[in-house]
Structure formats: C-alpha cells, structure tokens
C-alpha cells in the first residue's frame, strides 16, 4: 500500500456516508443545518471525530466547508459567552 492511498475507517460503513448522506457534497450552511454534524460538534465522540477527520483528509474543498461551519459555531459560542459576561455592563455596538 502506498503512503498516498487512503484507508477506510471501520467506523464508516459506506465510503464517507453517514445515515445515507454523502457529506462531501455539503456546503457549510448545509452542515450547520445537519443534526449529525451539530451533534458531532457539540458532543464529540471518538467515532464522529474520526468520521469528520477522514472526510477532511480526502477532500480539500469539503475540508474548507467544515472549517467555515466550525468557525461559525465558535463565533456563536463566543458571542453567547460574551453576552453572559456583559449583562451588567454598558454594551458598545459596532453598527
């Protein structure tokens, strides 16, 4: 087996499909509306971390979509965390 050849994870029943979905065709907005992706990000397990990692390794374009979706989720988390800490302080608006 060559170094470049990808091996399939035993956690993936069909090549890069979960629940009958071909995630490699998804855009960031579709990931953000997908229950499995959100569950994987909010409550990661070893299995779903491996699933998404392998998908990222096989498709560079899709890898970027995953990163965009994750950045969006991180932004929401940071915003809601900052909102809690600034409840009793004067807020500055950027627009």
């Amino acid at each position: 087996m060559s170094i470049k050849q990808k091996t399939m994870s035993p956690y993936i029943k069909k090549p890069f499909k979960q629940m009958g979905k071909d995630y490699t065709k998804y855009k960031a907005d579709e990931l953000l509306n997908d229950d499995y992706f959100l569950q994987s990000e909010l409550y990661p397990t070893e299995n779903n971390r491996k699933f998404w990692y392998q998908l990222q390794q096989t498709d560079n374009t899709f890898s970027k979509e995953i990163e965009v979706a994750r950045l969006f989720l991180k932004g929401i988390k940071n915003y809601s965390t900052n909102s809690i800490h600034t409840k009793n302080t004067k807020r500055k608006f950027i627009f």
Side-chain angles (χ1 to χ4, degrees), residues 2 5-6 9-10 13 25 33 35 39 52 75 78 81-82:
S2 72
Q5 187 177 2
K6 306 278 187 210
S9 167
K13 293 180 173 89
K25 309 286 188 237
N33 284 295
D35 290 337
Q39 186 75 17
W52 295 110
N78 289 340
T81 301
N82 289 339

Side-chain angles (χ1 to χ4, degrees), residues 11 18-19 21 23 31 33-42 45 47-49 51-52:
Y11 301 104
Q18 180 69 18
M19 298 154 75
K21 299 176 184 178
Y23 283 107
L31 289 169
N33 284 295
D34 184 80
D35 290 337
Y36 182 70
F37 177 76
L38 293 173
Q39 186 75 17
S40 299
E41 293 300 311
L42 296 173
T45 65
N47 289 354
N48 60 36
R49 279 192 304 251
F51 175 79
W52 295 110

Side-chain angles (χ1 to χ4, degrees), residues 79-91:
Y79 177 79
S80 59
T81 301
N82 289 339
S83 294
I84 292 168
H85 295 301
T86 60
K87 271 188 176 178
N88 296 325
T89 61
K90 193 173 187 178
R91 294 186 186 180

Side-chain angles (χ1 to χ4, degrees), residues 40-70:
S40 299
E41 293 300 311
L42 296 173
Y43 307 103
T45 65
E46 183 179 344
N47 289 354
N48 60 36
R49 279 192 304 251
K50 286 180 181 181
F51 175 79
W52 295 110
Y53 176 78
Q54 262 200 326
L55 282 177
Q56 285 187 280
Q57 298 306 305
T58 59
D59 190 309
N60 191 42
T61 302
F62 180 66
S63 179
K64 291 176 185 176
E65 295 296 329
I66 290 176
E67 290 306 314
V68 168
R70 286 179 175 158

